[in-house]
Amino acid sequence: MEKIIKAYSNLMKRNLDKPELVKFLIKIGLEVAKLWVDYVGDKDAPESLRYLNSICFKFILEPLRDPNNSAFVNLLAPTEILHSMDIYPLFIEAYSSFISGFYCENAFIDKATAEGISDTLCSYHKTFLGALELSILPKLKFAVTSSILCDGNSNTFRYIANRYKIPYYIIDIPYGYSEESVRYVVNQLKEMISIVEAITQKRFDIDRLREIIRLENRTKGYIRSYLESLKNHTMPNSISLEMYKLFVTHPYMGREETFRFFKILADDVIKYPDSGYRIFWIHIMPYFSYPIQRYLNFNKDFKLIGCDLNFDYLEDMDERKPLEAIARKLMLNVNNGNFKRKIDNIKKLIIDLKVDGVIHFCQWGCKQSFGGFMLLKKEIEKMGIPFLAIDGDAVDRRNNPEEQINTRLSAFFEVLTERGKRW
Amino acid sequence: MVGYVCKYTPYLVIESLGEKTVRIEPKISSYEMSNSLTHPNICSYAKLVLEEILKKKTDKIILTNCCDSIRRLYDILEALPFIKFLHIIDLPKKRDQKGRFLFKNEIIKLIKRYKEFSGKNLDIGNLRDLLNNLSPSIEKRNEKLNLVIIGGRCKESIIEIVEEFGGNILYNLTCTGNRPPYRPIGINEDPIEAYANILLDSYPCMRMDDTKERLDIFTQDKRIDGVIYHTVKFCDLYSYEYADIKDKIDIPLLKLETDYTDTSEGQIRTRVQAFIESLKEKAKKDIQPKSTRKDLIVAGIDSGSTSTNAVIIDANRRILGFSIIPTGAKSIESAYRALEEALKTSGIKMEDLSYIVATGYGRISIHFANLEVTEITCHAKGAFFLNKDIRTIIDVGGQDSKVIKIDKDGNIIDFVMNDKCSAGTGRFLENMSRVLEIPVDRMGKESLDWKEDLEISSMCTVFAESEVISLIAKNKDRKDIIRAIHKSIVKRIISFIERINGEPRYIMTGGVAKNIGVVRCLEEKLGEKVIVPDEPQIVGALGSALIGLEKLEGLTICV
């Protein structure tokens, strides 16, 4: 399979000067991959995760199939509003991940940096900007981003929108929480809605948004039930599948498919007994890394129990005041504001999920995350939980020293087994 | 004393609360302590602020949530026991009515917190006076070269270098320069609200929502001769603007990146000086030759990190002799020896020399030279002299690599140079030659006989070395590994060429040009023949001698 994808990658790289062809190859490649996932898929994965895999391909293909009814978004954009208006979001981090899945990220990144984009910028953004510079990125109707989680969002979205001459809107999420700052965000959401209405000629219906939020709340109920069951069960999992959960815990929250996935997941988890060491992952994952795959993909001894990014806001939202609810959701995301909020959330998850070891991935260019990793390390070590930090890149393979990652992981798992189970 | 970092900090309210303030400008060369508290890849400036706070035990600090690195700096400082007062201001990205209201309230919050901390009261009259005394941001005008410095936070020393070489900073749109626009505060006006507005009305930085005003100056002000775009290592906010404007504005632009320490001042100096030289060259008009003496003899000395080279030319621009010697511990001694040897090969006596021009890394130490010019200007001059069809010069020396683009008259259009990183330089090849146990001068030839197409993916010298060691461990053939090393150097060169839109014909100069393996890989990548002069190491020295001659002839106003 890998050989076929690499040959396909070479075909794309040879034709970078023909953007329409590469755009077509990306779309066809994803359509074929979806068919493979639907009819063959990962036999080791539980039913729920196989379904997750399928809907993620569906989600990424929607905006590629219908760019005139789609918008660029970031991970923490208020996509509930777009869902309520039947507009497809294309979340840029996912697009870059799939480009990396095609082994093309290096060519895209090199193009972005040759144009002057900083090589120390996060590779998700560099890959995306490379696609733009190569004219491979589809031109969608508009772009919407929030200012969280990182600095890159505002600038990347402004850059794309200016280059493609499409409207964009940045939702500034204040650092601190107060009723006054909620009003500041709500005001922006209203402004964004009127802009989207004007661009798409679609009417925003607040009752439809309420329905989306109702579905989101029901979905979160299943997430909480899944978390509760995880205390006594461990499911087969892989780093790719855990990363796919970012689709459903963030931009596609509020969609029917997402609700269905968590419902099946909550049923699935209780089918599996509790076994192996429970490994909790912090931040994103280099899904292609062989040493990490070897230790964590469907491993019987070491179980990937979860990733903090998938549990960053699990509160119910007030459907009566949907815009205020969205504003609160964004502002109270544990990754906004003081780093203590992130640390406290992780500590709670470690206790709730009886975690035996924590791996923190320091993603190349992600200052908001690795800037505080020493604070986090200190707190987790105080709990007596082994902590490993790995430097690498979840998009650009060139920034992953495989041998060094392998040695560190081996030593970490040796320490873990030496200590025995924590709980 | 309360320290702050961001230009949006309302520091005058602290002064009106009876406390002095200081903008933290670290003068530090290393990150000894900060690396144990955070990741080495957060913004270099933020790390140095942490280092400075730790060293000076600064105990009262105000930050803004201006960027990811500063937000994390706040979290780290919060855990330090000696900090007595720490506050973060929630700076809105939007400058509309709601954003202004939020920011005004943030100033009120700061006042309240500092009042509680210090027990002092705000002197509102004093705040009004301080605001009214803010010096108006007068644009300096003169007949010198008018430059704009724009981008991320910029050290004062860079401004000083610009001014030293005759540049006039017309606008400073970096984090340290753009002062709020002055306007008097009316007697019935709320000074806090006015202050919030004054700060938000200054030229926006790149973290703000609407940044259009930043670029308006380039279309509106016709006096601008050149632009220096400055970025700080690991601060990525500004590279977007650089990527956006570099092809849009029709004004010469220099890109500078620093890590905010003092360690790269030599390279900064070279680049700024070369840029100003090229602007002056551009301004050269209708200058008649002053001297037609036929007995002029000029020496050019290029003091590089690995070798020191000298060239002697006569008034007919004939090369009379040259020398290439290794640079020793003292660049002035090597320069003198190189000059002596070159004189010996030309049969010329020291006293017959009309003029000496020094270039290269050690040029500022060569006191006996009449003139110092950067190696960028000299390489352009030397290469164009050798072949008038040359449009792109690739110079890879021991420590620096640079690519220079010139026009049909030999004027520099653009250039790019490596930072402190030694990736893709002669130093990198030397390291690899040690690892592979082969003399550096044999590497080129050996690699031509390659069999397997290996890759070294990392451009970082340290990571690349570990990749080479892995290849050795896998028993890969040395010839193939050397070729992979050459390819990685070429990858770096190509990225430089692309950055300035390099065009044929290409010439390669500097010591690495003697490596036939690198040249072949480069030709393969470019799909073009690359000219390599017989003595690629003396092109800079030749250029400096030619500049000296032009100076005597009155043909150049350079420096």
Side-chain angles (χ1 to χ4, degrees):
Chain A
M1 180 57 110
E2 194 177 313
K3 273 189 184 162
I4 298 171
I5 301 174
K6 279 189 176 167
Y8 202 70
S9 158
N10 287 334
L11 178 65
M12 283 198 241
K13 284 187 195 167
R14 276 201 305 274
N15 287 293
L16 288 179
D17 56 339
K18 301 180 190 82
E20 287 307 317
L21 174 63
V22 179
K23 222 186 271 186
F24 174 75
L25 288 173
I26 290 171
K27 199 166 141 262
I28 292 299
L30 290 170
E31 298 273 11
V32 172
K34 180 165 180 352
L35 287 174
W36 187 86
V37 165
D38 286 349
Y39 294 102
V40 186
D42 202 333
K43 301 287 181 206
D44 295 326
E47 187 202 340
S48 53
L49 298 181
R50 286 165 62 101
Y51 178 67
L52 170 70
N53 207 347
S54 169
I55 59 174
C56 288
F57 276 97
K58 179 177 191 269
F59 291 150
I60 194 78
L61 277 163
E62 283 170 346
L64 301 184
R65 287 172 184 157
D66 192 1
N68 273 328
N69 187 36
S70 305
F72 296 113
V73 300
N74 71 323
L75 187 71
L76 286 163
T79 42
E80 289 92 345
I81 293 169
L82 301 187
H83 299 328
S84 78
M85 297 173 82
D86 296 318
I87 295 165
Y88 300 125
L90 175 70
F91 96 96
I92 68 166
E93 293 89 342
Y95 180 87
S96 298
S97 283
F98 281 111
I99 295 299
S100 170
F102 283 124
Y103 291 86
C104 283
E105 80 282 1
N106 51 359
F108 284 43
I109 287 171
D110 290 349
K111 178 64 183 170
T113 52
E115 289 301 320
I117 295 294
S118 168
D119 57 357
T120 61
L121 178 70
C122 161
S123 300
Y124 284 99
H125 288 256
K126 277 188 295 191
T127 304
F128 200 70
L129 292 164
L132 172 82
E133 297 290 3
L134 288 162
S135 306
I136 288 167
L137 191 69
K139 185 175 173 177
L140 306 187
K141 203 80 179 163
F142 63 98
V144 169
T145 182
S146 74
S147 57
I148 49 174
L149 291 172
C150 71
D151 288 338
N153 293 326
S154 313
N155 280 288
T156 295
F157 277 73
R158 182 162 51 208
Y159 194 86
I160 298 166
N162 287 342
R163 191 58 66 92
Y164 270 175
K165 297 190 171 39
I166 55 170
Y168 73 102
Y169 196 84
I170 298 172
I171 297 155
D172 180 24
I173 307 299
Y175 179 87
Y177 178 82
S178 66
E179 283 311 308
E180 176 194 303
S181 44
V182 171
R183 281 195 292 277
Y184 174 65
V185 177
V186 168
N187 187 57
Q188 293 179 71
L189 293 174
K190 285 180 182 164
E191 198 171 38
M192 172 202 137
I193 290 168
S194 56
I195 291 172
V196 174
E197 279 185 319
I199 305 162
T200 60
Q201 299 292 308
K202 287 185 173 186
R203 279 286 308 276
F204 167 72
D205 177 357
I206 195 134
D207 288 326
R208 177 79 185 107
L209 181 62
R210 286 194 178 105
E211 279 173 32
I212 300 283
I213 290 192
R214 214 159 23 238
L215 190 61
E216 180 161 347
N217 286 339
R218 288 171 66 205
T219 307
K220 279 180 184 156
Y222 282 113
I223 299 179
R224 286 191 292 265
S225 146
Y226 164 68
L227 270 176
E228 189 58 33
S229 303
L230 266 185
K231 290 178 182 173
N232 303 309
H233 302 269
T234 46
M235 264 180 96
N237 199 0
S238 76
I239 47 175
S240 303
L241 291 166
E242 193 60 33
M243 276 290 276
Y244 276 132
K245 285 185 193 150
L246 284 175
F247 278 76
V248 284
T249 53
H250 292 85
Y252 300 93
M253 183 58 99
R255 288 274 301 250
E256 201 63 54
E257 297 88 339
T258 299
F259 171 74
R260 191 174 160 220
F261 160 67
F262 279 109
K263 190 169 182 294
I264 316 173
L265 183 73
D267 290 341
D268 251 355
V269 63
I270 48 174
K271 294 177 192 160
Y272 298 90
D274 186 12
S275 69
Y277 289 90
R278 292 164 163 252
I279 309 300
F280 191 71
W281 194 276
I282 296 174
H283 210 42
I284 49 184
M285 299 164 188
Y287 66 91
F288 47 73
S289 166
Y290 294 117
I292 301 175
Q293 284 177 1
R294 200 171 63 239
Y295 277 109
L296 292 178
N297 280 8
F298 307 111
N299 192 316
K300 287 189 174 59
D301 301 321
F302 304 108
K303 294 283 174 66
L304 175 62
I305 201 85
C307 165
D308 71 315
L309 285 175
N310 283 321
F311 308 111
D312 53 6
Y313 186 79
L314 293 179
E315 305 304 311
D316 274 339
M317 294 160 77
D318 185 354
E319 65 182 81
R320 290 166 306 170
K321 294 178 179 171
L323 294 182
E324 281 82 349
I326 292 171
R328 286 196 170 84
K329 176 186 165 182
L330 293 170
M331 293 176 68
L332 292 174
N333 184 294
V334 295
N335 293 295
N336 184 36
N338 197 304
F339 203 70
K340 259 190 204 151
R341 298 173 60 197
K342 172 174 170 167
I343 295 178
D344 289 346
N345 187 51
I346 289 170
K347 281 166 73 176
K348 185 177 179 305
L349 286 163
I350 287 173
I351 295 167
D352 286 352
L353 301 177
K354 300 180 202 163
V355 169
D356 296 304
V358 171
I359 299 176
H360 183 291
F361 189 69
C362 298
Q363 162 70 12
W364 176 257
C366 189
K367 287 121 194 131
Q368 64 85 14
S369 163
F370 62 53
F373 96 102
M374 288 300 286
L375 296 169
L376 186 63
K377 181 176 191 282
K378 211 171 145 189
E379 289 295 316
I380 291 175
E381 284 176 350
K382 254 194 235 168
M383 296 172 80
I385 308 290
F387 178 96
L388 174 73
I390 299 175
D391 280 348
D393 197 321
V395 180
D396 191 349
R397 289 172 176 78
R398 295 171 297 184
N399 289 336
N400 282 283
E402 293 277 270
E403 289 302 319
Q404 282 157 350
I405 291 178
N406 188 33
T407 308
R408 280 177 216 191
L409 275 178
S410 305
F412 178 70
F413 288 115
E414 278 164 19
V415 169
L416 210 63
T417 37
E418 186 67 27
R419 284 199 190 180
K421 277 189 71 69
R422 170 76 170 76
W423 307 89
Chain B
M1 185 73 78
V2 178
Y4 68 95
V5 298
C6 171
K7 69 164 182 155
Y8 288 105
T9 311
Y11 65 96
L12 290 179
V13 297
I14 299 295
E15 304 233 334
S16 298
L17 278 153
E19 181 71 85
K20 287 203 168 8
T21 59
V22 62
R23 193 174 67 192
I24 301 177
E25 285 301 329
K27 290 190 174 58
I28 297 173
S29 304
S30 66
Y31 312 99
E32 286 162 35
M33 294 184 276
S34 56
N35 275 347
S36 65
L37 293 174
T38 184
H39 195 280
N41 292 359
I42 72 159
C43 151
S44 305
Y45 170 73
K47 261 197 305 180
L48 286 177
V49 170
L50 176 58
E51 196 76 28
E52 174 104 343
I53 289 171
L54 290 166
K55 275 200 173 136
K56 292 195 173 162
K57 293 273 181 288
T58 313
D59 58 1
K60 295 187 273 296
I61 298 141
I62 299 171
L63 302 173
T64 62
N65 69 330
C66 54
C67 67
D68 290 335
S69 292
I70 296 294
R71 275 191 284 275
R72 291 298 86 90
L73 175 66
Y74 174 83
D75 298 311
I76 294 162
L77 293 178
E78 215 180 16
L80 296 179
F82 65 85
I83 304 276
K84 290 180 186 150
F85 181 82
L86 179 66
H87 186 82
I88 188 161
I89 295 166
D90 206 347
L91 175 67
K93 281 182 192 290
K94 309 254 170 171
R95 294 185 290 160
D96 56 8
Q97 220 185 344
K98 288 263 189 310
R100 283 168 196 270
F101 180 71
L102 208 71
F103 190 48
K104 178 192 157 190
N105 282 347
E106 281 297 307
I107 300 180
I108 293 169
K109 261 188 234 169
L110 170 68
I111 295 169
K112 190 167 172 279
R113 266 210 70 201
Y114 201 80
K115 260 166 79 173
E116 284 165 9
F117 165 77
S118 65
K120 293 175 183 170
N121 282 320
L122 179 78
D123 182 344
I124 200 91
N126 177 255
L127 178 61
R128 188 189 304 274
D129 292 345
L130 288 173
L131 287 167
N132 277 330
N133 288 336
L134 268 184
S135 56
S137 47
I138 304 168
E139 289 170 10
K140 289 185 263 172
R141 294 157 195 264
N142 60 30
E143 297 310 309
K144 288 179 170 181
L145 284 171
N146 288 316
L147 301 178
V148 173
I149 186 153
I150 181 168
R153 204 170 184 97
C154 175
K155 267 179 103 88
E156 200 51 40
S157 57
I158 297 179
I159 310 284
E160 284 164 11
I161 292 172
V162 172
E163 287 173 347
E164 182 190 333
F165 291 110
N168 170 51
I169 307 281
L170 200 58
Y171 297 95
N172 181 343
L173 298 192
T174 68
C175 290
T176 45
N178 38 348
R179 306 192 65 161
Y182 169 79
R183 66 176 184 84
I185 313 292
I187 193 75
N188 295 320
E189 211 176 338
D190 171 9
I192 295 172
E193 190 175 331
Y195 197 12
N197 288 332
I198 285 174
L199 289 170
L200 288 180
D201 286 337
S202 60
Y203 278 110
C205 71
M206 284 302 282
R207 56 90 66 199
M208 301 306 263
D209 181 14
D210 182 6
T211 57
K212 200 177 152 288
E213 291 156 64
R214 292 174 63 82
L215 303 186
D216 286 347
I217 56 162
F218 296 112
T219 48
Q220 288 163 7
D221 196 327
K222 302 294 174 205
R223 295 167 301 165
I224 303 167
D225 296 307
V227 181
I228 297 179
Y229 205 101
H230 177 253
T231 54
V232 176
K233 190 88 187 156
F234 297 116
C235 164
D236 306 318
L237 286 177
Y238 287 89
S239 75
Y240 294 89
E241 189 180 52
Y242 166 70
D244 191 33
I245 68 168
K246 73 177 197 325
D247 299 322
K248 265 191 197 164
I249 59 168
D250 193 22
I251 304 170
L253 188 147
L254 170 71
K255 169 79 171 18
L256 273 187
E257 179 152 296
T258 67
D259 64 0
Y260 224 83
T261 65
D262 299 324
T263 52
S264 49
E265 205 182 306
Q267 281 176 329
I268 302 295
R269 181 173 277 276
T270 300
R271 276 181 272 179
V272 170
Q273 189 183 351
F275 182 59
I276 293 178
E277 281 166 6
S278 70
L279 293 178
K280 287 182 177 173
E281 259 319 281
K282 211 174 160 239
K284 180 174 77 180
K285 275 174 200 156
D286 303 327
I287 296 165
Q288 294 306 312
K290 277 181 191 165
S291 168
T292 50
R293 279 172 54 192
K294 294 290 176 201
D295 57 347
L296 296 174
I297 293 174
V298 180
I301 305 169
D302 181 359
S303 169
S305 65
T306 311
S307 71
T308 302
N309 322 305
V311 171
I312 314 288
I313 61 164
D314 66 11
N316 293 321
R317 291 167 167 73
R318 277 186 316 190
I319 299 175
L320 303 177
F322 69 88
S323 67
I324 302 167
I325 66 159
T327 302
K330 286 197 170 172
S331 49
I332 177 132
E333 284 171 13
S334 311
Y336 202 77
R337 267 199 307 122
L339 181 60
E340 275 183 331
E341 281 202 24
L343 286 167
K344 211 189 287 172
T345 58
S346 1
I348 303 279
K349 289 184 190 139
M350 188 74 88
E351 54 268 29
D352 294 335
L353 281 179
S354 320
Y355 209 68
I356 302 171
V357 180
T359 187
Y361 205 63
R363 67 187 181 282
I364 42 173
S365 318
I366 305 171
H367 308 303
F368 57 83
N370 303 89
L371 182 68
E372 55 150 295
V373 183
T374 64
E375 54 270 37
I376 291 160
T377 304
C378 292
H379 272 98
K381 185 67 76 180
F384 188 69
F385 173 76
L386 293 174
N387 189 326
K388 299 281 182 281
D389 294 330
I390 302 277
R391 295 293 173 269
T392 306
I393 300 133
I394 300 148
D395 176 59
V396 186
Q399 189 163 281
D400 291 334
S401 55
K402 45 188 105 61
V403 177
I404 308 158
K405 187 177 176 183
I406 56 175
D407 65 13
K408 62 177 180 26
D409 300 316
N411 298 314
I412 297 173
I413 303 173
D414 202 353
F415 66 88
V416 60
M417 185 175 166
N418 66 319
D419 303 310
K420 281 203 298 190
C421 169
S422 67
T425 67
R427 188 77 75 233
F428 174 60
L429 270 181
E430 278 172 19
N431 282 350
M432 295 303 145
S433 83
R434 269 195 293 279
V435 175
L436 291 165
E437 296 175 328
I438 177 173
V440 73
D441 54 359
R442 272 183 38 209
M443 289 175 84
K445 216 166 167 201
E446 174 139 347
S447 72
L448 295 180
D449 208 11
W450 65 278
K451 299 273 179 307
E452 193 183 349
D453 190 14
L454 300 177
E455 281 288 337
I456 291 175
S457 56
S458 180
M459 284 202 219
C460 164
T461 308
V462 182
F463 285 140
E465 186 168 335
S466 101
E467 280 187 56
V468 167
I469 291 166
S470 296
L471 291 173
I472 295 170
K474 285 179 189 161
N475 263 331
K476 294 289 178 191
D477 198 307
R478 190 167 74 175
K479 294 183 179 79
D480 300 329
I481 302 177
I482 298 174
R483 182 166 172 274
I485 291 167
H486 292 161
K487 275 172 40 189
S488 97
I489 291 178
V490 166
K491 217 188 286 173
R492 176 92 168 170
I493 296 172
I494 294 288
S495 74
F496 280 178
I497 294 175
E498 283 177 352
R499 226 190 282 172
I500 60 166
N501 295 323
E503 291 167 9
R505 298 191 71 186
Y506 298 94
I507 187 173
M508 187 164 180
T509 63
V512 176
K514 286 185 164 176
N515 181 319
I516 185 72
V518 172
V519 177
R520 288 281 176 275
C521 286
L522 184 60
E523 288 178 332
E524 215 174 279
K525 264 287 188 213
L526 289 170
E528 284 282 338
K529 187 99 186 111
V530 173
I531 298 167
V532 179
D534 292 341
E535 289 296 343
Q537 283 167 286
I538 64 163
V539 178
L542 171 64
S544 63
L546 290 165
I547 287 169
L549 194 60
E550 286 182 5
K551 175 93 179 164
L552 294 177
E553 291 170 341
L555 278 176
T556 181
I557 56 163
C558 160
V559 289

